[in-house]
Each structure stands twice: as structure tokens, then as C-alpha cells.
Amino acid sequence: MFVSYILAKVRAYLRYRETVRELSLLSDRELDDLGISRFQIESIAREHAVA
């Protein structure tokens, strides 16, 4: 049980980091097209990681 909990947390963190990385690579114009500003990237990534 404990191992599966840790693995789930690690996977969520990896999803978070991947989302931050991919969104950070977008230009301001591309982010604007998505309705996202650069300062929102980390909060959006956190939401994605736990979903």
C-alpha cells in the first residue's frame, strides 16, 4: 500500500514537470491562443498532475 502511494506521488510529480516543461516551451502568442498567461503555467500543471 505504501509503495503504491509513493509511486502515485512520483507519477503525479513527473506529470507536473512534463506539463510545466511543455507549456514553458510555448510562445506567449501560443499561450494566449490557449487562454493561458505565463504566470498560470505552474497552477495549471498542478491541476493536471492531480487529475
Side-chain angles (χ1 to χ4, degrees):
M1 186 71 170
F2 178 72
V3 173
S4 60
Y5 173 78
I6 295 297
L7 286 175
K9 291 295 183 182
V10 169
R11 286 187 194 110
Y13 177 74
L14 293 174
R15 273 194 311 271
Y16 166 79
R17 291 301 311 150
E18 181 180 6
T19 304
V20 167
R21 183 181 58 81
E22 291 195 9
L23 288 175
S24 295
L25 290 174
L26 296 176
S27 69
D28 288 337
R29 168 83 176 165
E30 291 168 322
L31 288 171
D32 189 47
D33 287 345
L34 295 172
I36 300 171
S37 60
R38 198 155 292 281
F39 77 90
Q40 293 176 299
I41 289 176
E42 289 187 11
S43 65
I44 290 171
R46 268 193 300 277
E47 291 173 15
H48 174 73
V50 295

